[in-house]
């Protein structure tokens, strides 16, 4: 059985003090809750404050991005080793906003995934189609290509500690969620693709999160699907009440 895994992606919101306060608030609200894995992804400048706020709590910290080199002349970037040294467990890689606005490609996503494993981080790897691609009937082709690109050269034992996040671009921040059936269809496809790449056992161990306008009101239906193992939550992770409500549904 895969333990549900819910991650909050705070994007470019919350300065360190506010982020630490929200992290403490979430940790307090779900104290004693078992049977769900939780991670919080603040902006890079707030990682240290959030790691400190979460010390002693089962909630993990995640970065939203990383570079693929360990160090060097890459102005403005941070490396997976730096992220790990702060105390983070995860790093989100290939979020659609990074692909759309910052030129990330399947190739750079793949380099970042290898770098994350090198540093001992557990990557959360995002895939998802645009509305245009969905309407053209290309969803499976797109997410299949993104999955293959992301995991090129990744051995099975590493793949099992990665998490996949299926985030249809048209559902992110729009209030428009994929129906549970639409999401399940893609999750089942991704799991079958993982079974082809590796084997059924490996595919069954990899958590696949759904992301895109997940809220307390739709989390139950989405998480009830057999291949939806958790959620990557943006807007609804910025408030204690809404995020804690999603976590209670997941547990
Ligand atoms: P949203 O964002 O929940 O605000 O739609 C999800 C994400 O981008 O990870």
């Amino acid at each position: 059985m895969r333990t549900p895994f819910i991650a909050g992606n705070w994007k470019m919101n919350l300065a360190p003090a506010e982020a630490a306060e929200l992290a403490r608030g979430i940790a307090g609200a779900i104290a004693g809750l078992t049977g769900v894995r939780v991670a919080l992804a603040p902006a890079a400048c707030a990682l240290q404050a959030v790691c400190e706020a979460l010390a002693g709590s089962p909630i993990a910290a995640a970065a939203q991005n990383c570079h693929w080199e360990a160090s060097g002349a890459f102005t403005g970037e941070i490396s997976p080793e730096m992220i790990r040294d702060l105390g983070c467990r995860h790093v989100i890689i290939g979020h659609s906003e990074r692909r759309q606005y910052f030129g990330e490609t399947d190739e750079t996503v793949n380099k970042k995934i290898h770098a994350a494993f090198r540093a001992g981080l557990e990557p959360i790897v995002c895939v998802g189609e645009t509305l245009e691609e969905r309407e053209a009937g290309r969803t499976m082709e797109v997410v299949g290509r993104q999955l293959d690109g992301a995991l090129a050269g990744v051995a099975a034992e590493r793949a099992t500690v990665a998490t996949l996040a299926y985030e249809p671009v048209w559902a992110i921040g729009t209030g428009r969620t994929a129906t549970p059936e639409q999401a399940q269809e893609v999750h089942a496809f991704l799991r079958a693709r993982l079974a082809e790449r590796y084997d059924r056992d490996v595919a069954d161990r990899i958590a696949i999160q759904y992301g895109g306008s997940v809220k307390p009101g739709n989390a139950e239906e989405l998480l009830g699907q057999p291949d939806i193992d958790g959620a990557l939550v943006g807007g609804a992770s910025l408030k204690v009440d809404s995020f804690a409500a999603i976590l209670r549904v997941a547990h």
Side-chain angles (χ1 to χ4, degrees):
M1 261 309 275
R2 297 176 293 268
T3 306
F5 179 26
I6 312 288
N9 174 12
W10 293 348
K11 309 192 179 184
M12 197 172 72
N13 295 293
L14 307 178
E18 301 164 311
E21 192 187 328
L22 179 57
R24 276 190 295 271
I26 291 169
I30 61 155
L33 190 76
T34 54
V36 54
R37 293 195 288 143
V38 186
L40 297 174
C45 64
L47 280 171
Q48 180 158 14
V50 167
C51 285
E52 284 167 11
L54 293 177
S57 118
I59 302 178
Q64 297 174 13
N65 177 38
C66 66
H67 194 265
W68 54 83
E69 295 291 344
S71 63
F74 301 100
T75 302
E77 294 291 308
I78 59 174
S79 74
E81 283 76 4
M82 293 168 175
I83 291 166
R84 182 209 52 217
D85 286 355
L86 285 172
C88 293
R89 178 165 187 157
H90 304 279
V91 56
I92 299 171
I93 295 177
H95 189 281
S96 62
E97 287 152 16
R98 305 255 0 132
R99 294 182 192 253
Q100 211 176 331
Y101 307 130
F102 301 101
E104 288 209 0
T105 62
D106 291 340
E107 195 192 346
T108 57
V109 165
N110 179 249
K111 286 164 92 166
K112 291 178 180 201
I113 290 168
H114 282 279
F117 284 125
R118 176 190 71 214
L121 293 170
E122 300 175 9
I124 299 172
V125 183
C126 303
V127 301
E129 82 289 1
T130 63
L131 185 59
E132 202 185 359
E133 288 162 343
R134 173 160 285 264
E135 285 175 347
R138 295 181 49 223
T139 297
M140 304 308 178
E141 172 202 328
V142 169
V143 298
R145 189 206 72 224
Q146 290 172 334
L147 176 77
D148 289 341
L151 294 178
V154 173
E157 59 278 14
R158 282 188 156 176
T160 54
V161 299
T163 297
L164 267 187
Y166 167 57
E167 299 203 303
V169 178
W170 47 272
I172 295 178
T174 58
R176 192 177 158 192
T177 327
T179 64
E181 295 73 27
Q182 280 174 323
Q184 167 58 26
E185 187 188 14
V186 179
H187 282 235
F189 170 83
L190 291 170
R191 201 173 307 282
R193 190 80 156 219
L194 288 169
E196 266 171 48
R197 286 191 68 81
Y198 300 104
D199 59 37
R200 180 45 65 183
D201 175 58
V202 170
D204 282 342
R205 283 159 62 193
I206 298 176
I208 310 180
Q209 297 174 325
Y210 169 79
S213 299
V214 175
K215 298 191 168 44
N218 59 26
E220 189 154 13
E221 266 195 321
L222 286 161
L223 293 168
Q225 300 298 311
D227 288 294
I228 301 185
D229 309 314
L232 184 52
V233 185
S237 70
L238 288 166
K239 293 267 181 305
V240 172
D241 289 354
S242 48
F243 194 58
I246 292 170
L247 296 173
R248 279 188 218 104
V249 165
H251 117 102

